[in-house]
Amino acid sequence: MSVIVTEESPMSATPATNERSAPAWHTIDADSVLTRLDSNRHGLDPSDAANRLASVGRNELIDKGSKPAVRILWEQVTAFMVVLLIGAALLSLAIGKYVEAGAIGAIVVLFAILGFVQEYRAEQAIAALRRLAVPLVRVERAGRVSEVSAVELVPGDVVLLEAGNVVPADLRLLEVANLRIEEAALTGESEPVEKELAVIDDERAPLGDRRNLAFSGTQVTYGRGVGVVVATGMSTELGHIAALIQGVAPAPTPLQLRLDRVGKQLALAGAVVAVLMILIGRIGGESWSDLVLTAISVAVAVIPEGLPAVVTLTLAIGAQRMLRRQALVRRLPAVETLGSVTVICSDKTGTLTQNRMTVTVLEASGHRSVLGEHDAAEPHRPATLLALTAGALCNDAEFHVTDDGEVTTIGDPTETALLVAAHDVGIDVAGLRSAHPRTDELPFDSERKRMSTIHGPLADDRRAGFEHIEPAATVAIVKGAPDSLLSHTTGVWVDGRVETLDDDERARIVAANDALAADGVRVLAVAYRPIDHHEPGTDQEDDLVLIGLVGIVDPPRTEARDAVTTCRDAGVRVVMITGDHPLTARAIARDLGIVRADEDHPVVTGRELDDVDDEALRELARTTSVFARVSPEHKLRIVEALRADGQVVAMTGDGVNDAPALRRADIGVAMGVTGTDVSKEAADMVLRDDNFATIVAAVEEGRVIYDNLRRFVNYSLAGNVGKIMVLLLWPLLMLLAGETKAFAVALLPLQLLWLNLMTDGLLGLAMGTEQAEPDVMRRPPIDPASSIWSEGWGARTVWVGVVIGAVALALGTAFRNVGDVAYYQTIIFTSIAFMQVAQAVANRSTKVPLHRLDWRGNPTLLIMAIGVVGLQLFAMYVPFMRRIFDLAPLSIPALGVCIGSAILLLLVIEVVEATQRRRAGSPARA
């Protein structure tokens, strides 16, 4: 039979299916699904499968959104600051200044290469999604089971699943036998989902609640099943996430936006100054060739040529420092962005929690025991030991202890949690299982919601935990959902004896179960029944004796609590976004301090998000700290709502379902150990230790780096203000002095380029290694809307620049008649170089006086300062260097005057900042 696949066809693998127009397969019974797909329980005919493959395409993810390498390179060389540099280089070429043009061109090339490499690596997310494909799958076609390549699956194929398989496409399940599938990477659920066949009426049910479906890329952990393919390739839920990733364009970082604004401001300032210089020159009767030389001088003075390279290298140094703190940065601008983060949106499973199911509480004999709070010197209660003994026996997981005491487990996370808990309270799990071998079992199924095992008969010397049972008895142990067991229970075990389960006790147990469930704890009931004689295969699940309730959770990471507190102190809000159950999410959020335990904070679910528009979601995002049962689209919308509200958002996660939001956030943070390849490739930063606390360390480093970059921009542009002031006012001073050659420039283009590269480059790079200010994590995040000139930095830049310009002009005027033009140019050139060295030293901190700073905190700056002074002397006193730069050797007194100008600037900055610290009234700053 043939299938005509139209644009609206549910089996189409074309991009049209990503509009989510496919039927809600979980709301349709299995036979109707087969009918709609023109298939049957024996599978497709091979020829029909081949026709469908030709129509719908291969079962693989399509990369349609990657940015070509040429485009990435083009974007690097068309950045505004780089365009300014290219313009200065072209002007230099136009008048034959090849050395200047080559130097500026080299900077442009370095900046473009570094930016290209970083962005090209960020384009690899879709390749990681492809690696989730399975090479071979078992398929039934025309009644025969065979193995075919996963990429050849088509809608209507019948696929066989068993433990260990990766689901190769989206399936509507036809048969299940204790089938459990790990969907954490897709939904955020930390526990494998038990699958069933029943129709789910709710069309908008979250992915985690669609228990009759199996999703591409998830892992079968237990049991077996059969399903019919309902979606392949880009039509699957995994493919939808791939489409979301491809549709998310990385947003510019706050630093990029600020530097772009700075570049435009500098361009405007340069244009104004150049026009003024040309007007002055024409008034003085200068030739156009001299005016072009002057315009180039202005361009070189205005543009901080070292800025792009120093910013990139400073970010790289910051990335190395973060790496030492277990944070691997994949995209350099993310280093600075961390300092501006105002909201951290964190996935729950594996990020805030350990992604390891753990027994935390036991309710037995009317007492509640919290395992983590037990006094090691005190013996455990008998009820605790018996409950964990029973949980270890009625258990299909494997348990091994190595010679060095390391525990390894294999199996369902809930069952492995029971084995680990038994081991932790001192039970010899291997010896216990050997002493009480299993003779029969009734496996868990979704209808009974319990499993039972038969052990015995119990010999006199092999009765650990069951001493009160008759020696020759066989025992049935049952575990499962409390409501399922209570309906078959007639007694309760209390301090070594069996008592009748009356209505009061039953009510107490139900209340205890409800209380634990309300705290987000998964509850299992454990019971037993002595048996005189057992016939294999018979049901022994009536007249049970309840031992107690076992509470199991995926516990929070211990260090995450302190990290959340630190974030709050630093003004950073933490928001939990998870696919898990609302009760579980709320309990974890309260435990970690994301929400206060004494307040009733609402948990917003994915279904509620579907009912609100973007404006209402922005309001919800302002006030909601916990989102549960969310899909990848919801995570993306939440991140977008926060960003639209002016927040700088960091999104953490480890699953495939986190990838689109990681890409859209200002900074995406993936888990390095438990994270999927998809999340790592989509992220800007990867935590190598999966430790939420590492984010806090990274935020601190980000703030330090932003402070250092701001210091550098202030330092560089203050020097440029001084140079522009000299260039603009020197001709006026000469005209006022009656000079016949009034338009002799104060500084030549190559001299300006040397100053910018030596002082801005070397000293600026050293500023990138400065240590943290004392209040770095006790102040609010940097306002993303703020200017780089805010908090007084703009005024500081101007007045320091004016002091540099005024001192240089004064010295140039004083030495104007001592020698020729080259001599006073050398005076101005050298005084500015030395003053910028002093300025770099004074810029180490605005919070702490210079005399209280330890040079061991930034030895690089000391080395660079000495190096710049040495290179300046080298340029001035070595003949071939003097010829290149048109300099004259200064006398010792003249050199001393230049050094004195640097000391003067240092003292002025220190006095002004000391005054500001006193006005601020902070003893720490005085």
Side-chain angles (χ1 to χ4, degrees):
M1 81 182 55
S2 62
V3 179
I4 299 175
V5 181
T6 65
E7 186 177 2
E8 290 78 20
S9 169
M11 66 187 72
S12 172
T14 65
T17 60
N18 286 326
E19 296 173 4
R20 319 307 288 163
S21 58
W25 296 110
H26 59 285
T27 66
I28 308 172
D29 67 86
D31 290 331
S32 298
V33 170
L34 289 168
T35 301
R36 294 187 66 163
L37 293 172
D38 276 342
S39 185
N40 58 71
R41 291 179 181 269
H42 299 296
L44 299 172
D45 183 86
S47 60
D48 188 13
N51 290 335
R52 296 188 185 204
L53 183 63
S55 299
V56 303
R58 290 157 63 90
N59 177 32
E60 60 186 1
L61 301 179
I62 301 170
D63 183 1
K64 59 185 179 181
S66 292
K67 192 185 297 181
V70 174
R71 182 179 168 192
I72 296 174
L73 184 60
W74 174 253
E75 289 179 354
Q76 298 303 317
V77 299
T78 54
F80 196 83
M81 190 72 74
V82 177
V83 169
L84 290 179
L85 293 176
I86 292 173
L90 292 177
L91 277 174
S92 299
L93 279 175
I95 63 168
K97 298 292 184 178
Y98 302 115
V99 176
E100 291 91 332
I104 298 172
I107 296 170
V108 171
V109 170
L110 174 64
F111 181 63
I113 290 174
L114 289 172
F116 172 81
V117 170
Q118 289 299 319
E119 186 165 348
Y120 183 77
R121 291 177 59 196
E123 288 294 320
Q124 303 307 308
I126 195 69
L129 278 169
R130 284 200 184 111
R131 290 196 288 271
L132 290 180
V134 237
L136 293 175
V137 293
R138 296 175 66 218
V139 177
E140 185 173 355
R141 286 180 175 171
R144 296 184 59 185
V145 176
S146 60
E147 287 190 338
V148 301
S149 173
V151 298
E152 296 177 5
L153 286 179
V154 294
D157 264 329
V158 174
V159 177
L160 283 67
L161 300 174
E162 60 185 18
N165 288 163
V166 175
V167 179
D170 284 359
L171 311 176
R172 172 58 164 94
L173 296 170
L174 306 176
E175 299 176 17
V176 294
N178 303 320
L179 179 65
R180 300 178 199 169
I181 297 180
E182 170 65 67
E183 297 178 347
L186 190 64
T187 67
E189 290 267 13
S190 56
E191 187 179 351
V193 177
E194 183 188 341
K195 294 299 181 178
E196 57 189 36
L197 300 180
V199 170
I200 298 168
D201 294 330
D202 184 3
E203 285 194 13
R204 297 163 55 198
L207 294 183
D209 291 341
R210 300 180 188 183
R211 294 177 176 265
N212 54 17
L213 299 182
F215 300 108
S216 177
T218 58
Q219 179 94 32
V220 179
T221 62
Y222 190 83
R224 59 180 179 82
V226 178
V228 59
V229 175
V230 295
T232 61
M234 296 298 288
S235 299
T236 63
E237 292 297 332
L238 188 67
H240 180 49
I241 293 174
L244 288 176
I245 295 175
Q246 293 171 4
V248 174
T253 69
L255 176 65
Q256 290 169 326
L257 293 173
R258 290 183 179 109
L259 290 182
D260 186 63
R261 287 197 296 267
V262 168
K264 292 174 181 176
Q265 291 164 355
L266 290 177
L268 178 62
V272 171
V273 173
V275 169
L276 289 174
M277 292 287 289
I278 290 172
L279 289 175
I280 295 171
R282 292 305 296 164
I283 292 172
E286 296 301 319
S287 67
W288 283 108
S289 61
D290 286 340
L291 294 178
V292 170
L293 178 64
T294 301
I296 293 174
S297 298
V298 171
V300 172
V302 167
I303 301 170
E305 286 82 0
L307 180 59
V310 169
V311 167
T312 301
L313 291 173
T314 301
L315 292 175
I317 291 170
Q320 290 299 315
R321 282 167 38 169
M322 287 187 179
L323 185 60
R324 290 194 291 269
R325 302 181 78 167
Q326 303 302 312
L328 173 63
V329 175
R330 299 188 64 256
R331 187 166 168 250
L332 277 185
V335 174
E336 177 273 337
T337 307
L338 277 162
S340 302
V341 164
T342 58
V343 178
I344 298 176
C345 294
S346 177
D347 187 36
K348 178 185 72 67
T349 304
T351 308
L352 293 168
T353 65
Q354 300 174 22
N355 199 18
R356 178 174 57 85
M357 300 303 288
T358 304
V359 176
T360 57
V361 62
L362 288 105
E363 182 87 23
S365 299
H367 299 279
R368 177 174 293 189
S369 300
V370 180
L371 295 189
E373 298 176 3
H374 178 74
D375 187 350
E378 296 292 329
H380 287 277
R381 296 179 59 82
T384 298
L385 295 174
L386 183 58
L388 293 177
T389 296
L393 289 174
C394 186
N395 198 308
D396 289 330
E398 297 181 24
F399 182 88
H400 303 283
V401 181
T402 62
D403 293 338
D404 57 3
E406 183 179 351
V407 173
T408 59
T409 59
I410 301 173
D412 181 86
T414 299
E415 296 201 319
T416 59
L418 291 169
L419 296 180
V420 171
H423 173 77
D424 289 345
V425 300
I427 296 173
D428 178 4
V429 175
L432 175 69
R433 288 178 158 183
S434 175
H436 303 294
R438 183 185 302 186
T439 60
D440 198 10
E441 64 182 286
L442 283 178
F444 181 92
D445 66 55
S446 56
E447 292 184 7
R448 291 169 34 251
K449 295 184 179 180
R450 58 185 180 273
M451 73 172 287
S452 60
T453 55
I454 310 298
H455 303 265
L458 306 179
D460 287 337
D461 59 343
R462 303 169 70 186
R463 301 170 50 71
F466 297 98
E467 290 82 356
H468 62 289
I469 298 176
E470 292 297 324
T474 296
V475 63
I477 302 176
V478 186
K479 80 172 191 294
D483 57 346
S484 170
L485 262 69
L486 280 176
S487 61
H488 295 267
T489 300
T490 57
V492 60
W493 195 88
V494 180
D495 296 330
R497 65 184 184 278
V498 178
E499 296 183 355
T500 302
L501 182 62
D502 56 26
D503 290 342
D504 290 341
E505 182 65 14
R506 188 181 297 273
R508 188 195 64 78
I509 293 170
V510 170
N513 173 56
D514 292 344
L516 288 171
D519 286 338
V521 179
R522 185 188 181 194
V523 185
L524 288 178
V526 183
Y528 75 93
R529 174 189 173 185
I531 305 170
D532 293 331
H533 176 72
H534 173 68
E535 291 292 336
T538 59
D539 185 351
Q540 301 290 351
E541 295 180 343
D542 288 319
D543 297 325
L544 299 175
V545 177
L546 182 69
I547 301 172
L549 305 179
V550 181
I552 303 175
V553 298
D554 179 12
R557 292 178 177 271
T558 304
E559 62 276 12
R561 294 185 182 92
D562 293 337
V564 170
T565 301
T566 305
C567 285
R568 186 182 297 111
D569 293 341
V572 178
R573 181 173 156 230
V574 179
V575 176
M576 179 192 292
I577 306 177
T578 178
D580 217 334
H581 194 279
L583 289 177
T584 304
R586 176 181 291 164
I588 295 294
R590 285 178 172 172
D591 195 357
L592 290 173
I594 294 174
V595 297
R596 292 181 56 179
D598 57 347
E599 294 181 1
D600 185 21
H601 290 268
V603 176
V604 176
T605 64
R607 182 173 301 173
E608 294 172 86
L609 294 179
D610 288 333
D611 294 332
V612 300
D613 59 19
D614 291 343
E615 185 60 36
L617 179 56
R618 284 179 61 179
E619 184 60 36
L620 271 178
R622 290 191 192 105
T623 58
T624 304
S625 297
V626 183
F627 295 88
R629 279 288 189 256
V630 295
S631 68
E633 297 98 319
H634 296 140
K635 293 187 177 187
L636 198 55
R637 286 190 66 203
I638 293 167
V639 170
E640 288 173 338
L642 287 166
R643 295 189 71 242
D645 198 38
Q647 305 296 326
V648 177
V649 182
M651 170 71 191
T652 74
D654 60 354
V656 176
N657 62 327
D658 297 321
L662 289 173
R663 192 84 177 269
R664 178 58 58 88
D666 294 285
I667 176 167
V669 184
M671 303 296 114
V673 178
T674 60
T676 60
D677 285 346
V678 183
S679 63
K680 294 175 191 175
E681 292 292 346
D684 301 295
M685 186 176 79
V686 178
L687 304 184
R688 298 175 67 192
D689 57 359
D690 281 17
N691 191 338
F692 184 81
T694 302
I695 300 173
V696 179
V699 168
E700 179 181 348
E701 287 292 347
R703 293 187 177 191
V704 172
I705 289 162
Y706 179 77
D707 285 349
N708 290 344
L709 287 174
R710 180 181 255 187
R711 285 191 191 98
F712 169 71
V713 172
N714 163 260
Y715 163 77
S716 175
L717 297 185
N720 287 5
V721 167
K723 296 163 197 168
I724 292 170
M725 183 176 167
V726 168
L727 289 174
L728 185 61
L729 296 183
W730 183 257
L732 292 176
L733 290 176
M734 294 302 96
L735 283 173
L736 292 174
E739 289 285 343
T740 56
K741 184 61 176 174
F743 206 67
V745 292
L747 291 168
L748 299 175
L750 198 57
Q751 294 171 352
L752 288 164
L753 189 61
W754 170 270
L755 288 174
N756 282 2
L757 294 183
M758 294 304 298
T759 58
D760 292 8
L762 294 179
L763 293 172
L765 179 60
M767 289 181 187
T769 63
E770 193 60 62
Q771 301 302 303
E773 295 277 21
D775 66 341
V776 69
M777 290 301 283
R778 298 194 302 271
R779 65 189 189 216
I782 301 136
D783 184 354
S786 67
S787 165
I788 204 164
W789 311 116
S790 61
E791 299 178 11
W793 283 94
R796 190 181 195 276
T797 299
V798 172
W799 75 256
V800 171
V802 168
V803 172
I804 291 174
V807 172
L809 285 170
L811 293 180
T813 302
F815 284 85
R816 179 171 57 88
N817 297 319
V818 174
D820 58 8
V821 171
Y823 198 85
Y824 72 69
Q825 284 180 337
T826 304
I827 285 285
I828 295 173
F829 177 60
T830 305
S831 63
I832 290 177
F834 286 175
M835 280 190 283
Q836 288 215 261
V837 171
Q839 182 197 358
V841 172
N843 260 24
R844 289 194 60 198
S845 175
T846 59
K847 313 289 185 183
V848 180
L850 185 61
H851 67 274
R852 291 177 56 187
L853 288 174
D854 187 351
W855 275 106
R856 290 173 296 181
N858 191 356
T860 306
L861 181 60
L862 179 60
I863 294 170
M864 290 296 186
I866 294 172
V868 167
V869 171
L871 287 169
Q872 183 69 22
L873 296 176
F874 179 77
M876 187 167 49
Y877 291 112
V878 174
F880 82 89
M881 291 291 289
R882 284 206 307 270
R883 287 193 296 272
I884 292 174
F885 290 100
D886 289 326
L887 298 175
L890 297 182
S891 64
I892 297 300
L895 182 63
V897 170
C898 292
I899 295 172
S901 69
I903 297 172
L904 175 64
L905 178 66
L906 187 65
L907 292 174
V908 170
I909 293 175
E910 276 296 289
V911 169
V912 171
E913 291 192 343
T915 302
Q916 291 174 342
R917 285 193 289 268
R918 282 195 298 271
R919 286 177 179 173
S922 173
R925 295 184 178 188

